[in-house]
Amino acid sequence: DSTSFGVATDATLLMAAASRGHESVVELLLQRGCNPTRRDANGRSAAAYARAGGHTHLAERLDHVVDLDKTLR
């Protein structure tokens, strides 16, 4: 699911949506099974992309999803 939306070419759709603050798209992608723990070649997660874009609330949401996933394993 890699694409190029002005972010790293190895960024996922989830990372691209997070970087632009598209909360509804992020939620849809999560519901459809996108992996919020996946990292790009530079080690950045979707939450890091959200933070870099100034979308701290969305970054916190993604961090929460990752934490929940770790807890359920």
Side-chain angles (χ1 to χ4, degrees):
D1 60 354
S2 294
T3 186
S4 179
F5 291 101
V7 293
T9 56
D10 62 334
T12 64
L13 293 174
L14 183 61
M15 292 170 188
S19 73
R20 287 170 177 68
H22 297 301
E23 293 185 39
S24 60
V25 176
V26 167
E27 291 300 330
L28 177 65
L29 291 170
L30 290 172
Q31 290 172 7
R32 299 290 182 195
C34 282
N35 182 356
T37 64
R38 187 169 169 182
R39 300 196 176 252
D40 68 10
N42 294 314
R44 294 174 297 192
S45 66
Y49 275 88
R51 273 189 198 83
H55 310 289
T56 54
H57 177 75
L58 187 53
E60 290 170 1
R61 166 73 176 121
L62 287 161
D63 286 338
H64 180 72
V65 170
V66 170
D67 288 345
L68 278 178
D69 184 58
K70 287 179 185 177
T71 301
L72 295 176
R73 286 185 189 183

